[in-house]
Amino acid sequence: MRPRIALNVKSVEYEFLQEQFGSKSELLLKSNPVHKKIPKSNPVHKKIPVLLHNDKPICESNIIVEYIDEVWSAGPSILPSDAHDRAVARFWAAYVDEKWFPNVRGAAAASSEEAKNAAVDQLKEGMALLEGAYVEISKGKDFFGGEKIGFIDIAFGSMLAWLRALQVMLGGVKLLDEEKTPGLCKWAAKFSADPAVKDVLPETEKIIEFAKLLVAKIKAAAASS
């Protein structure tokens, strides 16, 4: 979703080739520049997304977004022009991937009520931190990037479908809460409705189906180890 949103922000035409769950196409295997050097047991082996530009592959979603921002520089900027602001944007994008999203996965795949509750508590703490970051960074504007979608918006906004799916899977647990995260609630609505985004974010029901497949795979792997 991240590269597609970035390309849409830049008004760049592209062809989207979707991989099937549980299999990897020959094009993907050929396009990942490190796939022969990573053991097959490695969970990041031959990951998507991959951007092919001029027959050259670029891997990892946030790296691809930065590449798109640099190559198509005539379009709206995704990363801030100020060095400190760029560092802040990269920090929060990394926070979403490395600290926040693992708790989404943990809550969905929890094997006990205690583990699920612990993951949900961590998610709520993370949402409070992201609410504070949004208020500070947006300075009263619609997006983390100001008046237009920026790097943090793409990094965190691409997770909205997962967040909404998790709320349903957990029986209505509120993570986007109008009382506790009012800024993020308004931001999420604006982001999801943006022309660069609205046709990219998958339906909640599809994410729930996909999440169930992933959870089953995780639990099966845990049982066999």
Side-chain angles (χ1 to χ4, degrees):
M1 285 179 276
R2 290 172 177 172
R4 294 173 66 197
I5 292 169
L7 289 166
N8 289 343
V9 166
K10 296 285 189 174
S11 298
V12 176
E13 293 186 6
Y14 60 92
E15 182 183 5
F16 174 51
L17 303 176
Q18 188 163 347
E19 292 288 312
Q20 296 300 312
F21 180 73
S23 65
K24 293 180 171 68
S25 68
E26 283 301 313
L27 180 61
L28 174 62
L29 299 182
K30 287 192 301 182
S31 299
N32 192 315
V34 296
H35 81 271
K36 292 181 180 178
K37 301 176 183 178
I38 300 178
K40 290 187 177 180
S41 59
N42 192 309
V44 301
H45 184 59
K46 304 168 191 170
K47 282 204 313 183
I48 54 172
V50 176
L51 174 69
L52 291 175
H53 182 224
N54 294 331
D55 294 325
K56 295 178 181 179
I58 302 95
C59 302
E60 300 292 339
S61 60
N62 285 338
I63 293 173
I64 295 171
V65 172
E66 291 204 41
Y67 177 86
I68 290 168
D69 195 33
E70 290 180 16
V71 171
W72 288 279
S73 57
S77 294
I78 293 173
L79 277 156
S81 58
D82 178 79
H84 177 264
D85 291 344
R86 282 199 304 276
V88 170
R90 288 175 177 134
F91 169 86
W92 285 109
Y95 172 81
V96 167
D97 284 354
E98 297 169 14
K99 301 294 184 182
W100 184 83
F101 188 70
N103 288 309
V104 173
R105 198 164 47 233
S111 56
S112 68
E113 195 70 17
E114 183 181 1
K116 182 185 78 174
N117 291 338
V120 169
D121 286 344
Q122 289 293 317
L123 276 171
K124 288 181 176 179
E125 288 180 17
M127 292 298 289
L129 286 173
L130 286 161
E131 171 76 11
Y134 171 74
V135 171
E136 181 179 351
I137 295 168
S138 69
K139 298 179 174 64
K141 296 178 181 176
D142 288 340
F143 301 108
F144 283 93
E147 295 178 354
K148 296 181 179 180
I149 286 174
F151 194 63
I152 307 174
D153 298 290
I154 294 173
F156 185 35
S158 64
M159 301 294 188
L160 281 175
W162 285 97
L163 185 62
R164 290 166 179 150
L166 184 63
Q167 290 181 143
V168 174
M169 293 172 70
L170 295 179
V173 169
K174 271 195 166 186
L175 297 169
L176 273 174
D177 190 314
E178 291 183 0
E179 291 185 4
K180 295 179 180 178
T181 56
L184 288 181
C185 285
K186 292 177 182 177
W187 163 79
K190 290 272 188 183
F191 180 83
S192 300
D194 191 272
V197 177
K198 63 182 181 180
D199 293 329
V200 176
L201 288 184
E203 296 175 0
T204 300
E205 291 75 17
K206 288 186 178 180
I207 290 293
I208 290 173
E209 291 176 14
F210 183 61
K212 287 178 179 177
L213 289 173
L214 284 179
V215 168
K217 189 175 180 181
I218 291 169
K219 289 184 176 179
S224 63
S225 62

